[in-house]
């Protein structure tokens, strides 16, 4: 085991306050939020059960771990939530100046579609 990996190995949580492992060294039964999501699960209100530490750009990085046995199934969006998301995405494609729905998202930096923002380039 390299010195770097040994530095982050603390499965009892004595040094860091939480059980800690190095990158890709966590015990089975733990997962990050992203890994839970890939399995169709969510933390479900459980406290953080551990962490992964590694040296990255800008210093030490951390990924929080949750227990798989306490994770709950992901809740699917309701019909009303899906409708609201659809309306929000439509609003992002609707120009505030000409009120036309464009096939692309309106750039927030311009606040209007490309045709309205650059009329001399779009006859």
């Amino acid at each position: 085991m390299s010195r770097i990996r040994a530095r982050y190995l603390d499965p009892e949580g004595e040094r860091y306050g939480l059980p800690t492992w190095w990158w890709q060294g966590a015990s089975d039964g733990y997962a990050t939020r992203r890994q839970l999501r890939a399995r169709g699960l969510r933390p479900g209100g459980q406290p953080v059960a551990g962490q992964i530490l590694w040296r990255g750009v800008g210093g030490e990085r951390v990924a929080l771990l949750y227990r798989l046995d306490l994770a709950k199934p992901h809740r699917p969006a309701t019909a009303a939530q899906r409708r609201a998301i659809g309306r929000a995405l439509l609003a992002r494609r609707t120009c505030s100046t000409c009120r036309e729905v464009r096939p692309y998202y309106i750039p927030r930096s311009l606040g209007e579609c490309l045709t309205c923002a650059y009329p001399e380039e779009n006859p």
Side-chain angles (χ1 to χ4, degrees), residues 4-102:
I4 299 297
R5 287 186 174 185
R7 175 179 170 187
Y8 296 126
L9 184 61
D10 181 23
E12 285 78 40
E14 295 168 1
R15 188 176 341 153
Y16 296 104
L18 281 173
T20 304
W21 294 273
W22 62 80
W23 178 256
Q24 295 183 344
S27 298
D28 292 335
Y30 293 97
T32 63
R33 280 184 180 268
R34 188 171 286 187
Q35 291 167 336
L36 288 174
R37 179 68 178 194
R39 294 180 181 203
L41 300 171
R42 61 187 170 95
Q46 65 173 295
V48 174
Q51 63 185 352
I52 296 174
L53 289 177
W54 72 97
R55 282 179 46 188
V57 176
E60 284 190 344
R61 307 288 306 263
V62 63
L64 302 178
L65 298 172
Y66 299 91
R67 289 181 40 189
L68 282 171
D69 59 339
L70 298 178
K72 296 181 179 176
H74 172 67
R75 294 181 297 210
T78 65
Q81 288 171 327
R82 286 194 298 271
R83 283 193 303 274
I85 291 169
R87 286 193 302 266
L89 293 178
L90 180 66
R92 288 181 61 190
R93 296 184 311 143
T94 304
C95 177
S96 60
T97 305
C98 65
R99 308 304 297 169
E100 287 190 35
V101 177
R102 298 296 179 177

